[in-house]
């Protein structure tokens, strides 16, 4: 009889546990908490953003036309943009003491201008830290292990535009 009693007690508990397990968050609905007042300091209209982007692209073309040969592209292969995934941005913002992100312009061994992202603290100082543990960083597809080595890290290796562009503002 004791065997049947324990089944009667544990069966409903087991069923309850099976049906009440945590459901994973839908990443499309997940919102990163933010202070809207602080965020609004950086908000511009899409029209202003388009004007800034096309102004840069026009200026780049004008400068290229004024320089001899193909100097601008050979010496400073400037992208129109770079795209970083959500996890790269989260890693920067999750750095201890991070209050924002600073974006530097860099130049790689191929002469391409690259964006280098670092977390910054509330006083505007760069934070030099490990952003992603070595075990994870070394196994990420598309990232050479040499780029991920060391204790102090920054974010780079965004998808350059061009060539990897989808919805891009075109100069007017």
């Amino acid at each position: 009889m004791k065997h049947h009693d324990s089944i009667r007690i544990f069966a409903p508990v087991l069923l309850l546990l099976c049906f009440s397990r945590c459901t994973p968050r839908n990443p499309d609905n997940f919102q990163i908490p933010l202070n809207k007042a602080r965020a609004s300091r950086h908000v511009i209209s899409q029209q202003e953003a388009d004007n800034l982007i096309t102004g840069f692209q026009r200026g780049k073309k004008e400068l290229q036309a004024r320089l001899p040969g193909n100097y601008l592209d050979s010496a400073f292969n400037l992208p129109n943009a770079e795209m970083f995934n959500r996890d790269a941005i989260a890693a920067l913002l999750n750095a201890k003491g991070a209050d924002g992100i600073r974006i530097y312009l860099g130049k790689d061994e191929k002469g391409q201008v690259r964006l280098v992202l670092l977390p910054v603290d509330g006083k505007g100082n760069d934070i030099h830290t490990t952003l992603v543990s070595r075990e994870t960083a070394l196994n990420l597809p598309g990232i050479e292990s040499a780029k991920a080595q060391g204790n102090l890290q920054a974010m780079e290796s965004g998808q350059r535009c061009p060539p990897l562009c989808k919805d891009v503002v075109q100069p007017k």
Side-chain angles (χ1 to χ4, degrees), residues 32 87-98 119 129-131:
I32 297 171
D87 297 310
I89 302 302
L92 290 161
L93 293 174
N94 286 339
K96 185 176 180 179
T129 189
T130 300
L131 299 171

Side-chain angles (χ1 to χ4, degrees), residues 1-169:
M1 241 346 161
K2 288 187 176 187
H3 179 67
H4 290 290
D5 288 340
S6 61
I7 289 176
R8 286 185 199 159
I9 293 171
F10 288 114
V13 171
L14 185 61
L15 284 172
L16 181 63
L17 288 173
C18 288
F19 289 113
S20 68
R21 70 181 177 97
C22 295
T23 56
R25 280 190 206 150
N26 180 349
D28 294 334
N29 295 334
F30 177 69
Q31 294 286 309
I32 297 171
L34 66 99
N35 178 321
K36 289 183 180 184
R38 288 187 69 208
S40 67
R41 293 183 217 157
H42 299 282
V43 172
I44 60 174
S45 71
Q46 185 60 54
Q47 182 62 49
E48 188 175 349
D50 291 348
N51 291 343
L52 291 169
I53 293 165
T54 56
F56 174 79
Q57 292 171 350
R58 272 195 305 262
K60 184 175 148 185
K61 283 182 181 180
E62 183 181 325
L63 181 58
Q64 180 63 40
R66 292 178 182 214
L67 294 173
N70 196 24
Y71 177 76
L72 187 60
D73 282 338
S74 64
F76 295 98
N77 189 342
L78 293 167
N80 291 333
E82 280 192 45
M83 195 266 314
F84 294 84
N85 66 38
R86 178 184 189 105
D87 297 310
I89 302 302
L92 290 161
L93 293 174
N94 286 339
K96 185 176 180 179
D99 190 55
I101 297 171
R102 177 169 289 124
I103 303 172
Y104 287 96
L105 295 174
K107 187 174 170 185
D108 68 15
E109 65 281 351
K110 296 176 188 173
Q112 296 180 349
V113 171
R114 304 302 303 243
L115 300 179
V116 179
L117 287 63
L118 281 173
V120 295
D121 64 21
K123 295 179 182 176
N125 299 311
D126 291 347
I127 297 173
H128 302 281
T129 189
T130 300
L131 299 171
V132 179
S133 67
R134 288 187 72 169
E135 301 82 37
T136 304
L138 292 174
N139 296 323
L140 290 174
I143 296 180
E144 299 170 27
S145 60
K147 289 186 179 181
Q149 291 179 357
N151 293 332
L152 304 180
Q153 301 170 336
M155 288 294 173
E156 199 269 331
S157 297
Q159 295 180 346
R160 285 175 55 89
C161 172
L164 301 173
C165 307
K166 293 223 177 202
D167 186 23
V168 179
V169 176

